[in-house]
């Protein structure tokens, strides 16, 4: 009974929407498409990765230790400037929420600390341009 019902709806599909064998692709063509997707699209080096690793091991190359990063290695004045800048913003927002009306001394202290932190951050900007010929997008 199910086969008869399935056949009935297939007869009602317009001819323009029917899929025939002409719309199917061959298995070899499908495998070619899948292989093209699996291949990397970027330019590869002249040597395979395994060969590069073997040559580096032969030469005895070892990567150097990575430099520590984070707030613990940053300059204390840089950290103080960051804390002052964001702390002043937080102080002013919390003051505006919890104190109505905002006391004048509170507002002045918040603005002074924020401006001091911003000036400190300004002086921590790099002062020289690297001469590696890059476009400045490196970190």
């Amino acid at each position: 009974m199910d086969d008869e019902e399935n056949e009935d709806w297939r007869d009602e599909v317009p001819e323009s929407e029917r899929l025939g064998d002409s719309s199917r692709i061959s298995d070899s063509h499908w495998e070619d498409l899948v292989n093209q997707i699996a291949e990397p699209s970027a330019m590869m080096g002249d040597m395979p990765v395994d060969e590069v690793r073997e040559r580096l091991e032969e030469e005895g190359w070892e990567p150097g230790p990575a430099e520590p990063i984070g707030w613990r290695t940053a300059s204390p004045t840089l950290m103080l400037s960051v804390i002052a800048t964001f702390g002043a913003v937080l102080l002013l927002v919390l003051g505006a929420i919890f104190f109505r009306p905002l006391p004048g001394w509170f507002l002045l202290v918040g603005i002074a600390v924020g401006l001091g932190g911003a000036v400190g951050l300004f002086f921590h900007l790099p002062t020289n341009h690297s001469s590696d010929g890059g476009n400045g997008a490196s970190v």
Side-chain angles (χ1 to χ4, degrees):
M1 178 96 178
D2 287 334
D3 292 336
E4 292 176 10
E5 288 178 10
N6 288 341
E7 292 299 322
D8 291 338
W9 71 266
R10 289 184 183 142
D11 292 334
E12 296 174 8
V13 174
E15 188 65 36
S16 62
E17 293 184 11
R18 290 187 187 189
L19 295 177
D21 288 335
S22 63
S23 64
R24 299 189 72 154
I25 61 173
S26 66
D27 289 338
S28 63
H29 186 63
W30 178 255
E31 287 178 17
D32 289 342
L33 289 173
V34 171
N35 289 336
Q36 287 176 3
I37 292 172
E39 292 176 4
S41 60
M43 294 289 293
M44 298 295 288
D46 294 339
M47 294 185 344
V49 175
D50 294 332
E51 191 175 328
V52 171
R53 285 188 183 131
E54 289 173 6
R55 283 218 183 149
L56 289 174
E57 287 175 1
E58 288 173 5
E59 294 175 6
W61 180 81
E62 288 290 325
E67 294 182 19
I69 58 172
W71 64 272
R72 292 182 180 160
T73 59
S75 140
T77 56
L78 174 65
M79 291 308 302
L80 185 64
S81 298
V82 169
I83 291 170
T85 303
F86 292 115
V89 171
L90 182 66
L91 180 77
L92 290 173
V93 168
L94 290 177
I97 292 172
F98 293 115
F99 297 120
R100 289 290 182 177
L102 191 64
W105 64 268
F106 194 86
L107 183 64
L108 288 176
V109 168
I111 290 174
V113 169
L115 286 176
V119 168
L121 287 175
F122 180 76
F123 282 113
H124 277 88
L125 288 173
T127 56
N128 56 0
H129 182 19
S130 64
S131 60
D132 61 356
N135 60 1
S138 62
V139 176

